[in-house]
Amino acid sequence: MVLFVSLPAGVDEPGLTVTPLGDDVRVLIGEPSGLSPQASDPLGLLVGIDTLRNHSLGPDVLEVWACGVGESASTLAAQLTANVGSYFQYHSRGRYQPQFVARGFAGNSDQDCEQHSTFNASPNANGAIHVVPMAGGYASPGFTCGFSPCGYSEYYRDGNGRSGFFGNSSGFLATSAHEMGHMIQWPHSYTGLRNDFMGAYDNALDLMSGNFGIYGGGGYGSYPDPYSSAVINFYAAGWIDPHEVYVFGGGGAAFNLATAGGNGHRMAVIRSGSKFYTLAARIPSNYDPIPSHWSGVEVYEVEVCSDSEFDCLFSNDDKLPGFRRVKPHPAVSFAFENSASYGQPLPHVIRPGSGATVAGVQVMVGSISGQSLSVSMGSNPQPIPDPEPGTNPPLTGFADTVGNVFAADIDWLAEAGITKGCNPPANSLFCPDAPVTRGQMAAFLHRALPDLPVSTSVDFADDNGSVFESDIEWLSATGVTRGCNPPNNDRFCPDQVVTRGQMAAFLHRALPDLEFSGPQVDFTDDNANVFESDIEWLAATGVTRGCNPPANSQFCPGSPVTRGAMAAFLHRALGG
């Protein structure tokens, strides 16, 4: 399905730019867990929810291929990590960790690119991203069997068919986030009132629909940065716990609704026959850059598929992707062609200080405080306390380290000034599961060991203009790095991922006098490895404990180092 930048006939408004952000590619989902409520959803809101969450929780390794564009796969992967990865880290509160791994050039046409990446897919990947020279894109959630062979499709060479084509010629970040939403089973959310090519994109406020807004220079239309999405998508993805949902049961209640960055319930639900209505806070933030006059409580109608499993999976009418149909309530199509629409309130958002009736229930919205706002429902509302926060709050203040095994190490790293976060300028995230690049490694070591003796540095040919250029030059002058392309070693490869073996060499050269504090470990997977002596040194100093607990008989020298693991290595080496 090729999507393009176009305008309906008769529309000629200066400053209007419209990019249909994407569309679903229908493929067999595979063996879903069934269409009845499951233990993962004790509220009984959705069906097949375990299938919906197949790729939305934990690490999600996505290979990045450049297809006929002017940027390298490494550059594109870095852009996705810094912007789109941090977007999902924030909204999932660290529960979803997309990892973008650069693979290289894969042809010029869509067909060549997909064919190439399919035949050359890594067995460790969960899906593929193809960056192409177009506006908009398309994507598929694929099969449920993972990227490893599942013995079904010749077209995908027994892979899972989970792939996305992200256009980089217009609104690359919003397009990428939108298509990744499709790759984790998020549907469009539109009114169904338009019959033209923009029919699926008439909801201004949702990443998965129009994502419209006014931006710098007086332009308006498709906003280039991703908005948040309908809250039922976050629940379907497993990013909202059942105890964070208030289900209206009659009478009246008063409580707070909050975004991922606030304190309160994440979602409220009003049931009505075969449908239900969701209410959620929409408040401007770095990860939801909506206009302030569109803030308030957003209301959606959700219809869950009650047909046969076959019809729910293979319906061609685009009404029930992901087993649910989501549309704004009330359903009023956003007139994106009219510049005046962008300055008006949205009908499906209840503004602070106002009220509305939803499925016969009176809803009143109070004031905004930070990333929360007060809400009352029904008659004689009684206070409902905010849900108890998690038992492992982020020690560092980063929003994505809740319950992380490396939380204490990340806390130490932040207090020591070695890390500043992964999403400047806000730096509200650490991205503990993202791989460390060689440029980032240079910065970590420079901040951690500023007093290492230096001599003459190498002028690498590929770090000019890099944000880490001064750190790389320092690392070269200390002798800790020798370059990435022996024997010439005239390049540093700042955007390449650091492997665990390379990390052992970096630390060994930087801290050769570190005392031995652990037993000599003979890992089974480093014999004859170029970094074997560095790895043995790292184990003897107690800095590493292995990569396969509890046995810890392996080191995994070729695996990427995550930012969380790097925090632990530095903490053990320098913090006692």
Side-chain angles (χ1 to χ4, degrees):
M1 301 179 189
V2 178
L3 301 176
F4 50 89
V5 177
S6 181
L7 298 177
V11 175
D12 186 20
E13 292 247 3
L16 175 61
T17 301
V18 176
T19 304
L21 290 179
D23 210 342
D24 298 300
V25 175
R26 296 291 178 146
V27 297
L28 176 65
I29 293 181
E31 300 170 357
S33 305
L35 293 181
S36 58
Q38 296 163 324
S40 304
D41 178 23
L43 303 179
L45 297 178
L46 297 174
V47 293
I49 200 165
D50 290 337
T51 295
L52 301 181
R53 295 176 178 177
N54 196 51
H55 291 292
S56 64
L57 294 171
D60 187 15
V61 180
L62 300 168
E63 299 185 334
V64 179
W65 300 87
C67 305
V69 295
E71 295 173 289
S72 68
S74 295
T75 299
L76 294 166
Q79 290 179 19
L80 291 169
T81 298
N83 297 286
V84 181
S86 60
Y87 168 91
F88 283 104
Q89 289 266 357
Y90 174 82
H91 286 292
S92 71
R93 296 178 293 179
R95 300 182 184 189
Y96 175 50
Q97 301 114 28
Q99 298 175 9
F100 304 97
V101 180
R103 285 302 305 274
F105 175 76
N108 290 309
S109 71
D110 294 3
Q111 185 175 6
D112 288 345
C113 195
E114 179 153 15
Q115 213 170 37
H116 183 280
S117 65
T118 298
F119 277 82
N120 293 280
S122 165
N124 299 318
N126 303 116
I129 290 171
H130 316 87
V131 181
V132 293
M134 62 183 287
Y138 52 99
S140 166
F143 310 100
T144 61
C145 58
F147 212 53
S148 57
C150 59
Y152 175 78
S153 171
E154 292 182 6
Y155 181 71
Y156 288 109
R157 293 292 298 175
D158 293 336
N160 68 356
R162 186 167 176 260
S163 62
F165 286 77
F166 300 0
N168 77 336
S169 63
S170 177
F172 176 57
L173 299 182
T175 296
S176 298
H178 176 107
E179 299 308 336
M180 283 188 62
H182 283 323
M183 293 175 74
I184 55 173
Q185 301 282 5
W186 290 3
H188 295 132
S189 63
Y190 54 96
T191 67
L193 300 176
R194 293 186 73 118
N195 294 319
D196 58 14
F197 79 105
M198 289 295 289
Y201 309 103
D202 69 346
N203 173 12
L205 207 54
D206 188 4
L207 168 71
M208 302 310 296
S209 188
N211 207 89
F212 293 125
I214 302 174
Y215 45 94
Y220 64 97
S222 301
Y223 198 75
D225 295 320
Y227 290 169
S228 184
S229 189
V231 72
I232 192 63
N233 291 336
F234 296 161
Y235 182 79
W239 304 348
I240 295 176
D241 295 326
H243 77 277
E244 297 177 297
V245 179
Y246 174 74
V247 180
F248 181 74
F255 52 93
N256 289 330
L257 277 175
T259 70
N263 184 31
H265 288 78
R266 296 294 313 283
M267 179 171 74
V269 171
I270 301 174
R271 300 182 189 272
S272 180
S274 62
K275 303 175 183 178
F276 62 89
Y277 297 85
T278 64
L279 294 86
R282 292 300 297 271
I283 302 170
S285 71
N286 288 338
Y287 294 101
D288 192 11
I290 62 174
S292 60
H293 59 274
W294 289 353
S295 60
V297 170
E298 183 179 41
V299 184
Y300 281 98
E301 176 190 286
V302 182
E303 179 183 3
V304 179
C305 186
S306 58
D307 295 331
S308 70
E309 180 177 303
F310 181 88
D311 289 338
C312 288
L313 290 175
F314 306 116
S315 172
N316 292 319
D317 59 7
D318 200 32
K319 290 183 178 178
L320 290 167
F323 308 131
R324 61 195 183 278
R325 169 75 168 92
V326 184
K327 65 180 180 181
H329 178 79
V332 178
S333 183
F334 181 74
F336 68 91
E337 310 96 326
N338 185 353
S339 60
S341 301
Y342 295 80
Q344 302 298 317
L346 297 175
H348 74 289
V349 176
I350 309 173
R351 295 279 292 139
S354 63
T357 299
V358 180
V361 178
Q362 181 66 30
V363 178
M364 297 297 298
V365 176
S367 59
I368 293 175
S369 176
Q371 286 292 303
S372 304
L373 48 70
S374 57
V375 177
S376 64
M377 299 174 63
S379 58
N380 301 316
Q382 301 298 312
I384 300 294
D386 292 338
E388 289 293 325
T391 56
N392 296 308
L395 300 175
T396 62
F398 294 121
D400 58 350
T401 58
V402 178
N404 191 281
V405 67
F406 299 119
D409 302 301
I410 296 167
D411 181 40
W412 173 86
L413 204 69
E415 290 181 353
I418 298 172
T419 185
K420 300 174 182 176
C422 68
N423 60 319
N427 281 326
S428 57
L429 302 173
F430 181 73
C431 305
D433 295 299
V436 177
T437 67
R438 288 171 60 87
Q440 292 169 347
M441 184 76 178
F444 279 142
L445 292 177
H446 195 181
R447 296 174 196 145
L449 301 165
D451 297 326
L452 284 184
V454 297
S455 58
T456 304
S457 66
V458 176
D459 185 14
F460 293 118
D462 61 348
D463 67 342
N464 294 334
S466 169
V467 67
F468 302 115
E469 184 175 5
S470 62
D471 302 302
I472 294 167
E473 291 176 349
W474 170 87
L475 198 69
S476 172
T478 63
V480 171
T481 186
R482 299 168 185 167
C484 68
N485 59 324
N488 293 335
N489 280 329
D490 57 355
R491 303 175 65 84
F492 182 73
C493 305
D495 295 320
Q496 281 190 4
V497 170
V498 177
T499 67
R500 289 171 57 89
Q502 292 168 345
M503 178 275 305
F506 278 142
L507 291 181
H508 194 183
R509 296 173 197 148
L511 300 166
D513 299 324
L514 199 63
E515 294 183 2
F516 287 4
S517 59
Q520 189 74 25
V521 178
D522 185 15
F523 293 119
T524 61
D525 61 348
D526 68 340
N527 295 334
N529 189 283
V530 67
F531 301 116
E532 183 176 8
S533 63
D534 302 300
I535 294 167
E536 291 176 349
W537 169 88
L538 201 69
T541 60
V543 173
T544 186
R545 298 167 186 168
C547 68
N548 59 324
N552 281 327
S553 58
Q554 298 180 358
F555 181 72
C556 305
S559 296
V561 180
T562 66
R563 289 170 59 88
M566 191 70 252
F569 288 139
L570 290 175
H571 191 188
R572 294 172 197 153
L574 303 175

